[in-house]
């Protein structure tokens, strides 16, 4: 699937919502699901997994990136992240960075029915990524 192909937003949202049923959120009681499509048309999903040591919680996007690696990697084209009500939520700061690694500036993030999808470059301006490492390596 190239970036010019229409993004299946309804499918992404539906799969993200379904993924909330696999969330483990006994502390916040906020179930989050995520679904992305890769540039070659595969769907990957994730859900949040909390921990009694609260700061160790894995967000739905972390789980999604693990799924991406599990199915062979590749680049993310578009992602929808939703809470249990099925409405898109904006990714937290850490997850913007996690998503950047696998989708870059052009990754489209679902912003809901009334807004255009947001390119990740607008959510994480001036991101630090693999290219920066290449420039900065001293040896
Ligand atoms: N959460 C995510 O899964 N993704 C985000 O981008 C924001 C927050 C989860 C973490 C925690 O389990 C719950 O939402 C409440 O913060």
């Amino acid at each position: 699937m190239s970036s010019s192909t229409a993004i299946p937003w309804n499918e992404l949202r539906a799969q993200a919502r379904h993924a909330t049923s696999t969330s483990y959120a006994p502390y916040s009681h906020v179930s989050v699901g995520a679904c992305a499509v890769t540039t070659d048309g595969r769907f990957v999903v994730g859900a949040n997994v909390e921990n009694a040591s609260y700061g160790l919680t894995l967000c739905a996007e972390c789980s999604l990136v693990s799924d991406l690696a599990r199915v062979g990697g590749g680049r993310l084209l578009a992602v929808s992240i939703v809470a249990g009500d099925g409405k898109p939520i904006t990714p937290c700061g850490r997850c913007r960075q996690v998503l950047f690694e696998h989708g870059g500036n052009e990754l489209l993030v679902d912003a809901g029915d009334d807004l255009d999808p947001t390119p990740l470059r607008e959510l994480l301006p001036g991101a630090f990524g693999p290219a920066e490492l290449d420039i900065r390596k001293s040896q």
Side-chain angles (χ1 to χ4, degrees):
M1 180 179 295
S2 75
S3 50
S4 58
T5 310
I7 308 288
W9 290 112
N10 288 341
E11 179 70 15
L12 291 178
R13 261 185 231 174
Q15 288 206 36
R17 186 172 196 178
H18 181 70
T20 64
S21 66
T22 66
S23 157
Y24 175 73
Y27 307 111
S28 75
H29 301 285
V30 177
S31 297
V32 180
C35 180
V37 63
T38 61
T39 53
D40 59 359
R42 288 169 294 133
F43 289 81
V44 289
V45 296
N48 56 332
V49 180
E50 296 187 345
N51 193 280
S53 179
Y54 298 162
L56 300 185
T57 288
L58 305 175
C59 284
E61 299 90 324
C62 295
S63 173
L64 177 147
V65 162
S66 293
D67 195 34
L68 177 69
R70 187 184 63 82
V71 300
R75 300 292 291 171
L76 300 175
L77 176 64
V79 63
S80 182
I81 306 143
V82 307
D85 62 3
K87 299 222 172 75
I89 63 167
T90 192
C92 77
R94 178 175 185 264
C95 288
R96 293 175 192 203
Q97 179 72 25
V98 169
L99 291 170
F100 181 77
E101 182 81 12
H102 302 281
N105 282 319
E106 307 311 316
L107 173 64
L108 293 172
V109 181
D110 191 3
D113 281 330
D114 301 328
L115 296 169
D116 288 335
T118 311
L120 190 55
R121 100 176 78 78
E122 290 181 18
L123 297 177
L124 192 66
F128 182 94
E132 190 71 16
L133 282 182
D134 289 340
I135 294 164
R136 303 295 171 145
K137 267 182 198 155
S138 57
Q139 47 190 323

